[in-house]
Amino acid sequence: MEKILIIDFGGQYNQLIARRVRECNVYCEVKPWTAPLEELKAFDPIGILFTGGPNSVYLETSPHVDPEIFTWGVPILGICYGCQLIAHALGGQVTPAQDDSAREYGKTVTYYDTACKLFRGLPEEGVSWMSHGDYMAKVPEGFSLTAHSDACPNVAIADEKRGFYGVQFHPEVSHTQFGVDILRNFLYEICGAKGDWTMGDYKNTAIAQLREKVGTGKVLLALSGGVDSSVAAALLAEAVGSQLTCVFVDHGLMRLNEGDEVENAFAQWDIHFLRVDAEDRFLRKLAGVDEPERKRKIIGEEFIRVFEAEAKKVGAVDFLAQGTIYPDVIESGAGDAAVIKSHHNVGGLPDFVDFKEIVEPLRMLFKDEVRQLGRELGLPEYLVSRQPFPGPGLAIRIIGDITKEKADTLRLADAIFREEMASAGQDKHANQYFAVLTNTRSVGVMGDGRTYDYTLALRAVTTSDFMTADWARIPYDLLDRVSTRIVNEVGGINRIVYDITSKPPATIEWE
Ligand code: XMP
C-alpha cells in the first residue's frame, strides 16, 4: 500500500492534513517530529508532508528534521512552518517579517504559477489561508518562486528537480479555495500515487491482520452501542467471530428501541453476544440523585461493575478490544497514547478484567472512515450514521431525579422529535438533536380539564467539532408538528420549548 508520511511540527491542522490526504484515497500517518529517523524511513513513504507549527525555524530550540531526509529521493511538501523549515534546512534564510505587510494572516489572494506541478490545472489566482509571521528572506539554491501575493513575493517555492515544494499558506483548510487540488497534485502528479486507499481494501487487510494477531485467542469487547464500539465489534466479528464475546450493558437509559437495534445488528454474526439488562440496577443506584456530576459518576462506576461481573463469567481472555479511533491517538501525542486512552475509554477496566493484551482495530481511522467501514461490514445505516449520544444516556437529559416513568416519557417524546426531524430532512443539517425532560411543571388545559405536567425542551444544534455549537434554525412548521404530536401522544407533558442558546454560553447537553 502506498503511504504518505506527515511529520507533525505542532501545527493545529495536523489532523486535517491527514484527513484531506485520506479523502484523496491515499493512506497516511502523522508522526511527531521527535520520532527517530529510522522509524520514519522504515515507514517507506511515497511522499512526505511537513505540517505547520507555532515556532520560528531560526531558533535553535525549534522543531527540526534530520537533513538526511532530503537525501531519500522522496518528494516533500512543506506547509507554513514546514515550508520555512525546508528553506532554512537547505540554505535559505528565514527571518521575522520586518514590516506588517510581510506578515500575513487570514484570507489572501494568491497568484499561482500553473507551470509548477503543484499548481497544475488551477486558475491563476485564488484565495488562500495564511498564518505566518516569518518571512523567507532568501530561498535556497535550486528553488524557484511559484506563487506570490500582493504583499509577499514568495508564497510558494519549488525545486521540481528534487521534488521539494513549500507553501506558506494552508491548503488543508476549507478557506483555501483550491487547497484540495493542490494536495491532490502533490499526491498524484508529484508522488505518483494511484489512490489505493479504499475502505473495501482496508476492511480485507484489517481482517487479515486481526486474524494473524488474535490467532486462536479469545477476545472481549465492551459494546456501548455507539458508532466506534459497534464498528470495532463488527470488524472483530468478521475476523474472529466465534472467539469474540461482546458484552452490551444496557443501562436502561438508551433511546427508544436502541438496545434492540444494537442487538439485532449483531444477529448476522456467529459471536457470543451478551446483553445485560441492568435497568433496575442503574435506576436503583440513581434514585433520588439530581446532581449531574454524581449521575455521571454513578453510571460510570456501575458500568464497570456490571461489565466486570460479566467478564468474570467469560473467564480469562487473551485480548480486550476497544474502539479507540485515530483522533484520540493523535491528540494524545502518539507514543503512550494507546495506554492512556485505553484506561480512559473504559474507565479503568484493565485493572479488573483478566486479559493479556489490548487490541484496538480502529486506531488508525478517522470518524468518517469508521462509519464507512461500518457500511462495508454491513452494519445498518441507523447504527453507522448515529449522532453522538452521551455515555450516561438519558440520565443527563432528565433534569432532577430520574425515574423509570420519566425515562419512558422522555424516550417517547425524543423518538417523535427525531422522527419528524428526519422526515423533514433536517437531520442532514443539525449535527445533534434530542429532547430534554425539564424538572419544571406548569399549568395547562386539555379538553375541559386542568393539567399540571412537565415542560419538555427540544434541542438541535449545528456544529463541526462539538466544542462550540449554534442552535439549529429549524422551520416553525416542523416545531409545530413536533409540539402537537408530543402533547397528544405522550402523557405527562403539556408544554414544549425550543432551546435557542449557542455553546458557549450554554453546553449542548443540559447537564
Ligand atoms: P456538551 O454538553 O459538553 O457536549 O456541550 C458536547 C458533546 O459531548 C457529548 N457528551 C458526552 N459524551 N459522555 C459522553 O460520551 C458524557 O458524559 C458526555 N457529556 C456530553 C454531548 O452529547 C455532545 O455531543
Side-chain angles (χ1 to χ4, degrees), residues 296 388-392 396-397 432 466 503 507-509 511:
R296 273 202 170 76
F389 185 62
I396 57 167
R397 293 178 183 172
Q432 197 174 5
F466 298 89
K503 171 185 178 178
T507 52
I508 296 174
E509 303 287 349
E511 289 198 332

